[in-house]
């Protein structure tokens, strides 16, 4: 670049930058307002709701001495960790439906599944649902392991999951 | 007086500058569009706010949670379930109103609200454009009564949050 060129650039460059900034500001006011905002919905504490529901469900008293968790352990101990007899199963199902059905209206979260498995054998012992067995990934999912005093290496996994 | 050569240079320079301006404007608009798509991000926290408030009602010892040496989340102490405690619990939340109904399987046990006017707002929740958001949720809870017995219960939480 010759001397004349350097001189011209030094005169024009600051003005060009100011002009660019001015055009940017004007363009910002003119074109940024109609731009559709991206919407992020935060639902990070959703999981605590179903966790608390399952905890409360398991500690619900069945009679003066035992709660549902005790009832589950006792029932499966009697059935030698096989599927429950129809009478016990009906009683258990009735108890569960009294608690869970009112919480799952037709709108919003409508389908709940409750599964009890003997672990680590991964053997399904009981399955209760209100609308149908969920095969798609659930909206919320939680489980609690209930230890077995008689069989220290094994435990019952009570899993509650739902579709919204 | 300007010479013919000078006026030719000025006019040709002007034509070049018009193109430069147009180019600059187009670049600026593209730049603003790209940038604004990142800057204009709307974060909806209504669900989060609702969940945090409900969690506070159930978990906090200053609200209704039953406690002995520790707090039992999700167990409502019937002695603590009153309007005075509700007001204390949401004391710093001026934009929020609550109506809580505690019931067992058959009957309503108790209803509390922090402000009487919340009943007037219930029918307005159906309106689309309103200056507040409503939520209505039922939670399964255990109720600890005066005899220290635990019973099944449902807590219906109706809330209004001013926008």
């Amino acid at each position: 670049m010759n001397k004349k060129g350097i001189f011209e650039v030094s005169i024009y460059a600051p003005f060009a930058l100011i002009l660019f900034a001015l055009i940017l500001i004007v363009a910002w006011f003119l074109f940024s307002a109609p731009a559709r905002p991206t919407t992020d919905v935060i639902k990070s504490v959703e999981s605590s709701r179903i966790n608390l529901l399952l905890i409360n469900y398991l500690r619900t008293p069945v009679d003066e001495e035992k709660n549902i968790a005790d009832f589950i352990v006792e029932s499966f101990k009697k059935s030698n960790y096989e599927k429950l007899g129809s009478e016990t199963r009906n009683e258990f199902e009735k108890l569960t439906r009294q608690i869970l059905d009112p919480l799952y209206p037709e709108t919003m979260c409508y389908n709940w599944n409750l599964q009890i498995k003997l672990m680590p054998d991964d053997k399904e012992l009981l399955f209760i649902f209100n609308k149908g067995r969920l095969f798609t990934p659930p909206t919320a999912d939680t489980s609690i392991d209930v230890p077995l005093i008689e069989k220290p290496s094994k435990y019952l996994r009570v899993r509650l999951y739902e579709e919204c | 007086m300007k010479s013919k050569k000078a006026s030719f240079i000025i006019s040709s320079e002007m034509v070049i500058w018009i193109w430069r301006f147009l180019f600059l404007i187009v670049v600026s608009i593209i730049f603003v569009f790209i940038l604004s798509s990142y800057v204009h991000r709307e974060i909806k926290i209504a669900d989060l706010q609702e969940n945090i408030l409900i969690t506070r009602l159930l978990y906090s010892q200053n609200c209704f949670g039953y406690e002995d040496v520790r707090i039992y989340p999700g167990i409502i102490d019937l002695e603590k379930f009153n309007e005075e405690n509700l007001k204390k619990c949401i004391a710093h939340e001026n934009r929020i109103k609550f109506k809580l109904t505690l019931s067992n399987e058959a009957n309503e046990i108790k209803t509390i609200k922090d402000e009487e006017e919340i009943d007037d707002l219930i029918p307005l929740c159906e309106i689309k454009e309103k200056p507040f958001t409503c939520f209505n949720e039922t939670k399964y809870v255990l109720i600890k009564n005066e005899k220290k017995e635990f019973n099944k219960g449902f807590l219906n939480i109706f809330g209004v949050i001013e926008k």
Side-chain angles (χ1 to χ4, degrees):
Chain A
M1 208 181 265
N2 58 24
K3 274 186 183 174
K4 194 188 166 196
I6 294 165
F7 175 72
E8 279 187 355
V9 166
S10 63
I11 290 171
Y12 290 125
F15 290 109
L17 282 172
I18 292 165
L19 190 69
F20 180 64
L22 279 173
I23 291 170
L24 265 183
I25 292 163
V26 172
W28 186 271
F29 278 105
L30 288 176
F31 297 100
S32 66
R36 187 176 289 175
T38 317
T39 307
D40 291 337
V41 181
I42 300 177
K43 283 185 171 180
S44 65
V45 285
E46 185 67 16
S47 60
S48 73
R49 181 183 59 80
I50 195 165
N51 286 343
L52 193 61
L53 172 59
L54 185 59
I55 292 168
N56 268 352
Y57 164 77
L58 288 174
R59 62 186 176 193
T60 300
V62 179
D63 54 40
E64 282 180 5
E65 287 175 358
K66 59 176 186 272
N67 58 27
I68 288 186
D70 300 327
F71 180 72
I72 290 170
V73 174
E74 203 176 274
S75 307
F76 285 108
K77 190 181 159 190
K78 276 182 194 165
S79 71
N80 202 26
Y81 304 100
E82 293 296 327
K83 299 221 170 187
L84 294 175
S86 62
E87 199 180 316
T88 321
R89 190 195 151 89
N90 287 346
E91 194 187 342
F92 183 72
E93 206 170 317
K94 192 184 162 194
L95 266 172
T96 307
R97 289 191 188 284
Q98 276 174 352
I99 294 166
L100 297 181
D101 278 349
L103 301 171
Y104 290 83
E106 292 299 316
T107 52
M108 294 167 75
C109 298
Y110 53 89
N111 191 8
W112 58 264
N113 283 193
L114 185 97
Q115 183 187 50
I116 300 175
K117 274 183 172 181
L118 180 67
M119 301 297 281
D121 303 4
D122 204 28
K123 180 179 160 189
E124 188 178 280
L125 299 175
L126 189 78
F127 189 83
I128 312 172
F129 55 86
N130 67 334
K131 293 276 187 274
R133 189 187 269 264
L134 257 173
F135 291 103
T136 50
T139 320
D141 191 344
T142 188
S143 65
I144 289 176
D145 294 339
V146 183
L148 300 170
I149 298 163
E150 276 203 337
K151 297 181 179 226
S153 60
K154 298 191 178 190
Y155 54 92
L156 292 172
R157 175 163 290 167
V158 183
R159 181 180 171 218
L160 176 68
Y161 52 105
E162 64 179 28
E163 189 180 20
C164 297
Chain B
M1 202 177 170
K2 280 174 188 169
S3 67
K4 273 185 180 177
K5 194 186 170 192
S7 47
F8 172 76
I9 290 168
I10 289 168
S11 59
S12 59
E13 276 279 312
M14 271 183 72
V15 172
I16 293 165
W17 270 104
I18 288 167
W19 285 110
R20 281 174 184 165
F21 270 125
L22 283 174
F23 178 74
L24 197 65
I25 288 165
V26 170
V27 169
S28 305
I29 290 167
I30 292 167
F31 187 71
V32 165
F33 259 111
I34 293 168
L35 208 66
S36 66
S37 67
Y38 287 99
V39 172
H40 284 258
R41 191 167 281 267
E42 190 181 315
I43 299 170
K44 286 195 173 180
I45 57 157
D47 285 339
L48 183 73
Q49 202 175 10
E50 175 195 324
N51 274 315
I52 289 170
L53 285 166
I54 292 173
T55 307
R56 191 197 298 175
L57 292 175
L58 297 172
Y59 280 73
S60 172
Q61 57 185 8
N62 300 321
C63 299
F64 313 121
Y66 166 61
E67 64 178 311
D68 46 21
V69 286
R70 67 173 180 97
I71 187 89
Y72 292 84
I75 299 182
I76 303 273
D77 189 340
L78 204 55
E79 286 170 40
K80 285 166 91 178
F81 191 76
N82 53 48
E83 283 175 0
E84 192 189 337
N85 259 349
L86 175 62
K87 280 175 187 165
K88 266 190 220 166
C89 181
I90 52 165
H92 303 292
E93 308 286 353
N94 301 324
R95 299 183 302 112
I96 296 148
K97 294 175 181 70
F98 273 115
K99 181 184 180 179
L100 309 173
T101 308
L102 194 62
S103 57
N104 58 24
E105 285 155 287
N107 305 307
E108 188 181 306
I109 299 168
K110 200 173 181 182
T111 296
I112 57 168
K113 43 198 164 188
D114 62 327
E115 277 182 40
E116 284 300 319
E117 66 184 53
I118 194 166
D119 286 329
D120 303 333
L121 296 173
I122 295 171
L124 302 177
C125 288
E126 301 298 319
I127 300 168
K128 266 193 176 177
E129 294 294 324
K130 53 187 180 301
F132 52 86
T133 53
C134 304
F135 60 89
N136 191 7
E137 212 172 295
T138 303
K139 297 273 173 198
Y140 176 66
V141 291
L142 293 178
I143 305 164
K144 195 227 98 192
N145 61 22
E146 295 85 355
K147 295 171 194 167
K148 293 210 168 183
E149 292 168 342
F150 295 96
N151 296 306
K152 284 188 264 185
F154 293 96
L155 179 68
N156 180 264
I157 302 162
F158 173 76
V160 169
I161 304 176
E162 281 174 33
K163 280 181 186 168

